[in-house]
Amino acid sequence: MELAYIPSPSRGVLHLGPVPLRAYAFCIIIGVFVAVWLGNRRWIARGGRAGTVADIAVWAVPFGLVGGRLYHVITDYELYFSAGRDWVDAFKVWQGGLGIWGAIALGALGAWIGARRRGIPMPAYADAVAPGIALAQAIGRWGNWFNQELYGRATDVPWALHITSSADGRVPGYYHPTFLYESLWCVSVALLVIWADRRFTLGHGRAFALYVAAYCVGRFWIEYLRVDDAHHVLGLRLNNWTALVVFLLAVTYIVVSAKKRPGREEVVEPGAAAEESATDATSGAAGTDGESGKASEGDGETARSDAGPATGSADLTKAGGGAAPAEDGAKAQTETETETKTEAETESAGGKKS
């Protein structure tokens, strides 16, 4: 008996009355929300509109689910179309079975349709959502834990996954938790893409290509640990060959794209750039009007200040005008008195002489 291990859930579905709530489905839904949230933030940072990522995801997500299921059914057709199997089970997505290769391929087609309808360059959109897709995969892998599926070889490591179910050919025991390995690897891929995008200013689809290449590296060695039934080609599992081919294509794209179209797109959503320019112009006009109003108020205060001293001068002048006549009247009175006194003295002298 192992002293340390990762326990498996006793069940992967809860019933809310007649409605089944499946953990696998919830993991996928949560992953989609995280991908859209992070993609929206990155899209806005690149100059796009808020909500554009979600609008295009309405096309990409359904296409991705169909593509992922188709890939799984085609590569594991014996699970649904062999003797004793019910082909209707091929439509029961909630029971597990989505191939990431098909999900990305057909999901990209859906995203291309949505982006084309909005006049948005697909490579720019792919760069924005790349880290979010990696995080969505990291969250979605925990659905495999609830379903007790896609585990690796038997092991005695302290973090071994304890499988308790014996359904569908499972053998209870302790195995490598490949779901956990891939989940952690996808988180690392998301962080790598975010760092590289900031460090090297990736554009024209190169951030998405980096995500694809980095994921393929991890998927190759994780796939090598898995023990579930799979088709083999030249001693390797089919998904190993797929990871190798896709890795080479992604690296080739990065090299060729960097030479032909270096740098990053200046405009990712033309309508958003026009709206931003209009908003800036409106804000600038409002600021100019405010400054003009303040200037007018300042001119009025200056005029009132200038009027104050002028009024004072006028008052002083008026006061001075009133004092001048008073002085003239006093001078005239003095002269009259002097003349009267002189006449009186003359008459007195004339009387004595007579």
Side-chain angles (χ1 to χ4, degrees), residues 148 151 154 161-175:
Q148 296 196 38
Y151 45 85
L161 175 64
H162 187 200
I163 297 297
T164 58
S165 173
S166 58
D168 297 327
R170 297 183 183 90
V171 177
Y174 300 89
Y175 301 89

Side-chain angles (χ1 to χ4, degrees), residues 264-287:
R264 178 185 290 175
E265 301 91 341
E266 294 183 0
V267 178
V268 297
E269 194 168 0
E275 288 180 1
E276 185 176 356
S277 299
T279 302
D280 293 342
T282 303
S283 301

Side-chain angles (χ1 to χ4, degrees), residues 57-131:
V58 172
W59 288 87
V61 173
F63 273 72
L65 290 175
V66 172
R69 189 60 176 178
L70 281 176
Y71 182 90
H72 168 72
V73 172
I74 291 172
T75 56
D76 292 309
Y77 63 88
E78 66 278 358
L79 297 177
Y80 308 99
F81 303 104
S82 60
R85 298 284 185 171
D86 187 358
W87 63 271
V88 177
D89 292 342
F91 298 95
K92 297 179 180 179
V93 181
W94 55 87
Q95 293 183 354
L98 291 175
I100 186 61
W101 312 111
I104 294 297
L106 215 56
L109 175 61
W112 177 81
I113 294 174
R116 184 177 177 82
R117 288 169 59 89
R118 296 183 67 107
I120 293 172
M122 180 60 187
Y125 179 82
D127 286 340
V129 300

Side-chain angles (χ1 to χ4, degrees), residues 4-267:
Y5 59 86
I6 300 174
S8 292
S10 58
R11 57 181 177 172
V13 58
L14 296 176
H15 290 274
L16 186 61
V19 180
L21 304 177
R22 302 184 183 279
Y24 184 87
F26 273 105
C27 289
I28 294 176
I29 293 172
I30 294 171
V32 169
F33 273 102
V34 170
V36 171
W37 170 78
L38 181 57
N40 184 65
R41 288 176 59 90
R42 286 172 54 80
W43 183 252
I44 293 174
R46 289 184 174 229
R49 288 194 189 100
T52 296
V53 170
D55 291 342
I56 297 178
V58 172
W59 288 87
V61 173
F63 273 72
L65 290 175
V66 172
R69 189 60 176 178
L70 281 176
Y71 182 90
H72 168 72
V73 172
I74 291 172
T75 56
D76 292 309
Y77 63 88
E78 66 278 358
L79 297 177
Y80 308 99
F81 303 104
S82 60
R85 298 284 185 171
D86 187 358
W87 63 271
V88 177
D89 292 342
F91 298 95
K92 297 179 180 179
V93 181
W94 55 87
Q95 293 183 354
L98 291 175
I100 186 61
W101 312 111
I104 294 297
L106 215 56
L109 175 61
W112 177 81
I113 294 174
R116 184 177 177 82
R117 288 169 59 89
R118 296 183 67 107
I120 293 172
M122 180 60 187
Y125 179 82
D127 286 340
V129 300
I133 294 176
L135 290 180
Q137 288 178 248
I139 297 171
R141 276 304 176 197
W142 285 85
N144 301 133
W145 177 58
F146 281 99
N147 286 350
Q148 296 196 38
E149 60 186 3
L150 303 185
Y151 45 85
R153 302 171 184 173
T155 182
D156 58 357
V157 295
W159 57 87
L161 175 64
H162 187 200
I163 297 297
T164 58
S165 173
S166 58
D168 297 327
R170 297 183 183 90
V171 177
Y174 300 89
Y175 301 89
H176 276 288
T178 50
F179 84 91
L180 179 60
Y181 298 161
E182 187 166 339
S183 180
L184 295 176
W185 183 266
C186 287
V187 172
S188 301
V189 169
L191 296 176
L192 171 66
V193 174
I194 292 173
W195 170 82
D197 193 26
R198 293 177 179 177
R199 176 65 177 81
F200 302 105
T201 316
L202 301 177
H204 301 285
R206 288 187 289 277
F208 183 81
L210 176 61
Y211 143 71
V212 172
Y215 172 75
C216 288
V217 172
R219 181 59 184 267
F220 187 90
W221 68 265
I222 293 171
E223 188 73 20
Y224 188 74
L225 292 175
R226 285 170 52 171
V227 294
D228 54 302
D229 292 334
H231 296 286
H232 287 72
V233 178
L234 299 178
L236 291 178
R237 293 166 65 96
L238 178 60
N239 282 332
N240 282 119
W241 286 107
T242 305
L244 180 60
V245 172
V246 174
F247 170 79
L248 294 175
L249 291 175
V251 172
T252 301
Y253 179 86
I254 292 174
V255 174
V256 174
S257 175
K259 292 181 179 180
K260 289 188 175 182
R261 292 183 295 177
R264 178 185 290 175
E265 301 91 341
E266 294 183 0
V267 178

